[in-house]
């Protein structure tokens, strides 16, 4: 592993341990940065061109709500933070952030997500609280067609995490996760499916690999409200869980794309908020936790 990477890893762990409020400040800073860029947009030609490219990219895709767990195939721009409570036999764990974060559209049909490390709070006193791993994701939309045409989408994503977690709240090694994402709409119904694999960069024998397969069926109930049900499955290969499968059913409700401002005629609000609630319920005998309520908050710009 490169020497400069080790220095970054040690420094990051030291900072997050010494400053427990860092994660909240980091999330707030990213959010304020996005709002600041938007508020100064009229005076900045770069931001004007950037927004024009982002809007042109998003026009050529369906406007379905983003599922709670299943990765959507859309190219989106904004900030997202999820709050998850997992209940297992040894206690409960709160996950603040859930490896979401800032999403940008740097190029046409391309999305970059920067995910600050989530913070884990455990009810079991034997398990230490702490920050998880920082992560990044690059998504490229291969094909997209909005509801007025074929109402379908196909994308490819490549995610990577860096082992910055401490006290067992992160992985020991970097992990790369390639994922294929598909979606098809039928009037008010939208079906999304994706399949990917977690590939450790090192210590594969200890961590093992896994195949993740997520599916979401969504129904557009009203202008802003979507009902959904997801099936989230993980198939383990190698390590102590070799050959095991874990599957959850995740019913949920999403309120999507509510404008924060009244736009002028023929225009859309530059800021939209969305939120969703749901719960993962274990369906298989083998499971790393029994159930998990989810609250998802999103700001799009």
């Amino acid at each position: 592993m490169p020497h400069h990477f080790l220095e970054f890893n040690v420094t990051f762990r030291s900072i997050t341990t010494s400053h427990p409020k860092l994660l909240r400040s980091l999330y707030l800073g990213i959010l304020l940065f996005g709002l600041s860029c938007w508020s100064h947009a009229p005076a900045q030609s770069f931001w004007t061109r950037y927004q024009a490219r982002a809007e042109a990219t998003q026009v050529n895709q369906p406007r379905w709500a983003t599922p709670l767990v299943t990765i959507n195939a859309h190219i989106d721009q904004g900030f997202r933070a999820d709050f998850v409570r997992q209940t297992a036999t040894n206690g409960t764990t709160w996950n603040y952030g859930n490896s979401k974060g800032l999403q940008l559209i740097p190029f046409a049909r391309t999305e970059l997500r920067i995910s600050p490390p989530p913070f884990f709070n455990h009810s079991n006193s034997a398990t230490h609280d702490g920050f998880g791993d920082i992560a990044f994701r690059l998504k490229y939309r291969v094909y997209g067609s909005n509801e007025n045409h074929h109402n379908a989408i196909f994308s490819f994503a490549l995610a990577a995490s860096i082992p910055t977690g401490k006290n067992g709240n992160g992985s020991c090694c970097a992990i790369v996760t390639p994922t294929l994402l598909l979606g098809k709409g039928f009037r008010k119904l939208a079906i999304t499916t994706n399949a990917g694999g977690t590939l450790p960069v090192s210590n594969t024998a200890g961590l093992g690999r896994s195949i993740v397969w997520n599916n979401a069926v969504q129904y557009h109930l009203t202008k802003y409200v979507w009902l959904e049900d997801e099936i989230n499955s993980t198939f383990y290969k190698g390590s102590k869980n070799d050959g095991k499968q874990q599957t959850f059913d995740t019913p949920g409700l999403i309120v999507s794309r509510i404008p924060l401002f009244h736009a002028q005629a023929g225009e859309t609000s530059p800021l939209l908020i969305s939120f969703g609630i749901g719960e993962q319920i274990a369906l298989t005998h083998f499971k790393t936790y029994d159930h998990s309520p989810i609250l998802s908050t999103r700001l799009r710009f």
Side-chain angles (χ1 to χ4, degrees), residues 58-94:
Q58 295 176 90
V59 164
N60 298 316
Q61 63 185 14
R63 289 174 58 84
W64 309 328
T66 300
L68 291 172
V69 180
T70 301
I71 304 174
N72 67 318
H74 299 71
I75 301 301
D76 283 329
Q77 179 172 267
F79 182 81
R80 175 177 175 179
D82 288 4
F83 305 89
V84 179
R85 183 177 184 268
Q86 296 179 344
T87 300
T89 55
N90 61 345
T92 61
T93 297
W94 274 100

Side-chain angles (χ1 to χ4, degrees), residues 43-161:
Q44 299 180 9
S45 59
F46 168 79
W47 183 253
T48 302
R49 293 194 300 270
Y50 179 91
Q51 280 292 84
R53 180 176 65 247
E55 292 172 3
T57 291
Q58 295 176 90
V59 164
N60 298 316
Q61 63 185 14
R63 289 174 58 84
W64 309 328
T66 300
L68 291 172
V69 180
T70 301
I71 304 174
N72 67 318
H74 299 71
I75 301 301
D76 283 329
Q77 179 172 267
F79 182 81
R80 175 177 175 179
D82 288 4
F83 305 89
V84 179
R85 183 177 184 268
Q86 296 179 344
T87 300
T89 55
N90 61 345
T92 61
T93 297
W94 274 100
N95 180 335
Y96 300 105
N98 199 30
S99 297
K100 306 304 179 185
L102 179 66
Q103 298 172 208
L104 300 172
I105 302 178
F107 309 105
R109 298 195 291 178
T110 304
E111 173 192 300
L112 173 64
R113 188 176 77 183
I114 304 170
S115 301
F119 185 82
F120 296 93
N121 179 261
H122 307 281
S123 65
N124 189 340
S125 58
T127 306
H128 296 288
D129 300 341
F131 289 93
D133 298 336
I134 191 170
F136 305 89
R137 187 183 72 193
L138 187 67
K139 186 193 299 181
Y140 181 76
R141 193 186 69 211
V142 179
Y143 171 80
S145 178
N146 61 34
E147 293 89 338
N148 297 324
H149 296 87
H150 299 291
N151 199 16
I153 192 167
F154 167 48
S155 300
F156 175 79
L158 181 64
S161 63

Side-chain angles (χ1 to χ4, degrees), residues 103-265:
Q103 298 172 208
L104 300 172
I105 302 178
F107 309 105
R109 298 195 291 178
T110 304
E111 173 192 300
L112 173 64
R113 188 176 77 183
I114 304 170
S115 301
F119 185 82
F120 296 93
N121 179 261
H122 307 281
S123 65
N124 189 340
S125 58
T127 306
H128 296 288
D129 300 341
F131 289 93
D133 298 336
I134 191 170
F136 305 89
R137 187 183 72 193
L138 187 67
K139 186 193 299 181
Y140 181 76
R141 193 186 69 211
V142 179
Y143 171 80
S145 178
N146 61 34
E147 293 89 338
N148 297 324
H149 296 87
H150 299 291
N151 199 16
I153 192 167
F154 167 48
S155 300
F156 175 79
L158 181 64
S161 63
I162 300 174
T164 54
K166 192 170 179 61
N167 297 327
N169 291 293
S171 176
C172 66
C173 312
I175 297 175
V176 177
T177 308
T179 306
L180 290 175
L181 312 107
L182 297 168
K184 182 69 176 78
F186 305 91
R187 295 187 178 180
K188 291 188 175 184
L189 192 69
I191 300 174
T192 302
T193 184
N194 63 60
T198 60
L199 307 174
V201 175
S202 59
N203 193 26
T204 303
L207 292 176
R209 299 185 178 93
S210 63
I211 298 172
V212 180
W213 184 28
N214 292 324
N215 298 274
V217 177
Q218 298 177 302
Y219 182 77
H220 198 182
L221 185 64
T222 67
K223 182 177 181 179
Y224 297 120
V225 177
W226 291 75
L227 301 177
E228 71 166 28
D229 191 52
E230 303 183 40
I231 298 295
N232 317 120
S233 298
T234 303
F235 305 87
Y236 296 92
K237 305 294 181 182
S239 189
K240 62 180 181 180
N241 293 327
D242 184 43
K244 295 180 179 179
Q245 174 190 344
Q246 174 178 249
T247 298
F248 292 93
D249 177 42
T250 311
L253 180 148
I254 299 173
V255 181
S256 182
R257 303 177 190 273
I258 302 174
L260 286 181
F261 302 99
H262 293 290
Q264 300 179 0

Side-chain angles (χ1 to χ4, degrees), residues 4-19 22-23 26 114-118 130-136 162-166:
H4 67 273
F5 180 82
L6 291 173
E7 290 181 346
F8 167 79
N9 192 11
V10 172
T11 302
F12 188 92
R13 293 187 181 191
S14 176
I15 292 174
T16 53
T17 302
S18 303
H19 301 278
L22 176 64
L23 182 59
L26 186 58
I114 304 170
S115 301
F131 289 93
D133 298 336
I134 191 170
F136 305 89
I162 300 174
T164 54
K166 192 170 179 61

